[in-house]
Amino acid sequence: MESDIVLLARIIEHTPVGIVILNPDRTIHYVNTIAMHLLNSERDKLRYASIDPFMVDRQGSLPWRELWASVMQGNTHEEKIGIARLDGEEVTCTLNAFCMAGREGAQNAGALILRDITQELKIGEQLEKRNVEMAKMNAELIRSNVDLRRVSELKSNFMSIASHELKTPLTSIKGYSDIIIDSMKSRVDDGVYRMIESINRAADRLHRVINNILDVTRIEQKKLNLKPEQFDLALAAHEAVEELSQFVAKRHMAITEKYPGAAPFFGDRMRMTQVFSNLLTNAMKFSPDGSGIELAIELENGGQYHVMVIDHGIGIDKSEQKRIFDPFYEVGEISKHSTDRTKFMGGGMGLGLSIAKGIVERHGGRIWAESPGVMDNGFPGSVFHVVIPLQAAGRIEEPAVTAEQAAALRPPGGGDGKPSILIIDSDREVTEVTRMVLENAFDIIATSSGEEGLALAFQYRPAVILLDDLLPGLDGFRICRILRSQDETRSTPIVFISAITSRAEIEKCFAAGADDFLVKPFNSRELFDKVWRLLLKKNEEASD
Ligand code: ADP
């Protein structure tokens, strides 16, 4: 059995840290194996050699000489230090140093415990570098995200502004062609009349496209407002079917309807009809002539409706069944869907499904698509599902005046001279169309300047004022507020004419004192009925 001393010596020798014992003059008295490897020398050569040439001061640590002096005074230290090995390489170590008092008059000695941390430091540095790189990449990602969001907002704003700008000239095209179709047929020859009819249809089509773009923009900006009312969902679905009946007949197709009797529902009727219409139009577009379409509404668990639109058409690949609901997404080229047996009514813009999705989700529902595989006519077919709660979510707003109600109103009889209408609109075309629609029944006074309009309002005291919201200079809102503040014009009916249909804009008009609001492009019937309705109301109030 080894003596304790020998055992201790062996432990020190093989301890996995470098141990160096120094004489007071900093010459080496002892090195263990690890320290010998650390200094890269041999034990014999190291004995009595000075440790100083090996010690390299590190920034932020106590310099070696000062450290030693302090150790000799009995202090212990823990520092970071560099070791210049004999092979020229430099390693970094942690250094624990303390003083060992000599026994029985023997001189003191200093003990150094060295642990090589070069590798750890390297890994740490690499990690730090990686962290910095990752932080930079993160910053880059955040920046691109912000950029993407900004681009998306710009796109939405651009689409919204461009669509509104298109609506103003469209008012003229639609208005003039309405007038010719309604009241000038005898004055134009048949060929010209047919051209005017096709201009009128094109204007309607363009109006639909603009409305679709605006709808998508509203959905993207989370600004789609609902006008909820109680109605029969089955009736709304049937209305959409009726509207398509002409096209269905042309394609020798048939739509089978399956409803649970009446389907009481609380939501936006116009928007839900739009969903049915978009799904049915697609079912027709992507199916061969002569095939059948089914439209079913089922009541599920008493709390929700499950709507299904099933066609026997070209189907949708599984990988595309989610993406088709993205705006402007169309699967491949339209022409590729066409087969000898499949004729298209014309390509879309890839907006119908994204609008349907926006409307359904705004009502608290879900929409999805699947392809059953092979239908009885050999085509894969598609099924569109909509699941929607009976009491759909949404804000309750005043129900709008229906077209029937408006049409029922006729000019109040009697009266000698014609009532006068003041049009204040910066767009000459809009003014001209409005003049043509109204001039048989009214005296028209028109101006494109806000300042002049205000003066004319006090001068002529018109029966109704039609006011553009975005006039240069004195704008419509200020004019309206001024008119409302004066006794002579306080009760004059004022209708705002605007290309902007946002809720905020409408609220601004009413807050300024408007009686009604007309959206460009309006049709002549709508304009006429609005004006007469206000006059009628004013007459009634005056006779009360
Ligand atoms: P579009 O107005 O172009 O039809 P949609 O948003 O309505 O746009 O539809 C997007 C795409 O989804 C279509 O271009 C078509 O590729 C696919 N799709 C929609 N409905 C059907 C259907 N019933 N059968 C097959 N494909 C369909």
Side-chain angles (χ1 to χ4, degrees):
M1 179 72 183
E2 310 176 295
S3 71
D4 286 352
I5 295 285
V6 175
L7 183 65
L8 203 59
R10 272 163 52 85
I11 291 172
I12 291 173
E13 187 60 29
H14 297 290
T15 301
V17 288
I19 297 176
V20 182
I21 309 294
L22 294 180
N23 301 311
D25 62 356
R26 298 191 300 281
T27 53
I28 297 171
H29 179 76
Y30 166 82
V31 286
N32 74 349
T33 315
I34 295 280
M36 194 173 73
H37 292 313
L38 203 59
L39 302 175
N40 192 30
S41 185
E42 286 154 26
R43 196 163 274 153
D44 291 347
K45 288 190 183 148
L46 286 170
R47 204 167 159 84
Y48 301 120
S50 168
I51 190 84
D52 289 352
F54 292 99
M55 308 306 254
V56 182
D57 293 334
R58 282 279 188 257
Q59 213 179 9
S61 288
L62 196 62
W64 162 241
R65 292 289 182 91
E66 286 175 37
L67 184 146
W68 178 254
S70 170
V71 166
M72 283 293 102
Q73 282 165 15
N75 300 314
T76 58
H77 281 273
E78 185 175 340
E79 297 287 347
K80 211 181 269 176
I81 196 150
I83 300 287
R85 295 155 52 108
L86 281 184
D87 59 6
E89 203 189 323
E90 195 175 301
V91 293
T92 305
C93 293
T94 55
L95 163 68
N96 286 83
F98 54 93
C99 179
M100 298 189 301
R103 274 205 287 169
E104 293 157 14
Q107 58 182 0
N108 290 348
L112 311 181
I113 297 174
L114 296 161
R115 197 167 64 79
D116 186 353
I117 55 167
T118 316
Q119 241 3 66
E120 280 168 40
L121 283 179
K122 255 192 203 144
I123 292 171
E125 269 168 26
Q126 274 168 1
L127 269 176
E128 201 160 304
K129 224 160 130 194
R130 194 71 51 82
N131 279 344
V132 171
E133 275 166 16
M134 281 192 37
K136 278 188 185 162
M137 268 158 65
N138 260 343
E140 197 54 44
L141 268 178
I142 291 168
R143 212 168 305 136
S144 355
N145 255 343
V146 170
D147 284 352
L148 270 180
R149 249 203 321 265
R150 203 171 302 143
V151 168
S152 164
E153 269 167 27
L154 275 177
K155 185 203 72 188
S156 287
N157 289 344
F158 167 76
M159 292 209 302
S160 167
I161 291 166
S163 306
H164 283 125
E165 285 302 316
L166 286 173
K167 276 191 171 185
T168 303
L170 196 58
T171 307
S172 315
I173 301 171
K174 176 77 183 135
Y176 284 131
S177 53
D178 270 350
I179 290 166
I180 298 172
I181 291 168
D182 283 352
S183 52
M184 296 170 75
K185 186 167 185 190
S186 55
R187 287 162 57 187
V188 290
D189 72 46
D190 282 355
V192 174
Y193 189 78
R194 275 199 299 279
M195 285 185 222
I196 303 286
E197 276 184 325
S198 87
I199 290 174
N200 196 275
R201 276 195 301 274
D204 283 340
R205 224 168 26 242
L206 187 54
H207 192 190
R208 275 196 300 275
V209 169
I210 293 173
N211 280 343
N212 275 344
I213 294 178
L214 282 173
D215 278 348
V216 167
T217 313
R218 280 188 198 113
I219 290 166
E220 281 183 345
Q221 296 179 336
K222 307 216 177 328
K223 286 184 186 158
L224 184 76
N225 287 325
L226 299 182
K227 291 199 180 106
E229 57 179 316
Q230 194 73 42
F231 68 96
D232 181 353
L233 195 64
L235 220 57
H238 182 66
E239 261 170 35
V241 172
E242 289 275 277
E243 265 174 34
L244 287 173
S245 59
Q246 253 187 28
F247 303 106
V248 171
K250 256 190 210 160
R251 306 264 320 269
H252 307 290
M253 296 172 109
I255 301 180
T256 319
E257 297 167 82
K258 280 190 207 147
Y259 306 129
F265 182 74
F266 185 73
D268 189 318
R269 184 188 182 117
M270 199 266 294
R271 291 297 186 184
M272 286 309 295
T273 311
Q274 194 179 357
V275 172
F276 290 119
S277 178
N278 288 3
L279 294 182
L280 288 170
T281 309
N282 279 348
M284 285 179 61
K285 270 202 307 199
F286 300 101
S287 299
D289 285 353
S291 63
I293 295 169
E294 283 132 57
L295 168 58
I297 301 180
E298 288 168 8
L299 181 62
E300 271 180 357
N301 317 320
Q304 59 185 30
Y305 288 116
H306 187 161
V307 178
M308 271 169 283
V309 178
I310 306 164
D311 67 46
H312 294 61
I314 59 167
I316 307 152
D317 201 80
K318 198 159 177 51
S319 61
E320 308 281 9
Q321 286 170 6
K322 273 212 168 86
R323 296 188 64 189
I324 51 171
F325 292 97
D326 290 347
F328 300 106
Y329 189 78
E330 293 181 307
V331 183
E333 278 174 43
I334 281 276
S335 60
K336 286 205 185 128
H337 295 313
S338 292
T339 65
D340 288 345
R341 296 165 65 194
T342 312
K343 289 196 196 82
F344 279 91
M345 299 188 325
M349 284 181 72
L351 295 180
L353 287 181
S354 67
I355 293 173
K357 182 168 184 270
I359 295 173
V360 168
E361 288 179 350
R362 186 73 181 76
H363 280 86
R366 281 188 310 125
I367 184 168
W368 72 98
E370 54 187 33
S371 255
V374 183
M375 306 293 264
D376 47 16
N377 64 347
F379 279 77
S382 304
V383 184
F384 280 81
H385 299 267
V386 172
V387 169
I388 199 157
L390 258 65
Q391 294 287 326
R395 208 150 30 93
I396 299 180
E397 286 168 31
E398 279 268 294
V401 180
T402 63
E404 294 83 41
Q405 280 170 317
L409 287 162
R410 285 289 148 250
D416 296 321
K418 291 184 202 168
S420 59
I421 302 264
L422 171 60
I423 308 168
I424 312 175
D425 199 312
S426 58
D427 193 299
R428 219 168 44 83
E429 296 284 325
V430 173
T431 304
E432 281 318 300
V433 173
T434 313
R435 184 198 292 281
M436 288 185 80
V437 172
L438 298 175
E439 71 186 351
N440 280 339
F442 300 94
D443 277 335
I444 307 292
I445 311 155
T447 174
S448 59
S449 139
E451 286 79 2
E452 194 185 8
L454 195 59
L456 290 170
F458 290 119
Q459 188 182 342
Y460 288 99
R461 309 267 198 89
V464 175
I465 298 175
L466 301 176
L467 187 56
D468 183 5
D469 53 350
L470 302 178
L471 289 165
L474 191 60
D475 70 19
F477 305 109
R478 279 175 59 204
I479 294 178
C480 194
R481 271 193 293 272
I482 295 170
L483 292 174
R484 286 289 173 255
S485 68
Q486 302 301 310
D487 284 344
E488 308 94 298
T489 50
R490 195 183 305 281
S491 58
T492 309
I494 299 176
V495 181
F496 268 83
I497 298 187
S498 175
I500 304 171
T501 51
S502 72
R503 200 179 158 71
E505 186 73 7
I506 297 173
E507 275 170 2
K508 221 168 129 189
C509 293
F510 285 111
D515 291 281
D516 212 335
F517 188 89
L518 204 55
V519 178
K520 294 177 194 174
F522 48 83
N523 66 39
S524 32
R525 164 61 42 94
E526 202 185 350
L527 169 66
F528 202 77
D529 287 336
K530 263 195 186 201
V531 168
W532 273 114
R533 221 187 144 183
L534 284 172
L535 270 178
L536 197 63
K537 194 166 152 229
K538 200 184 162 201
N539 282 357
E540 274 167 10
E541 280 166 5
S543 59
D544 276 349

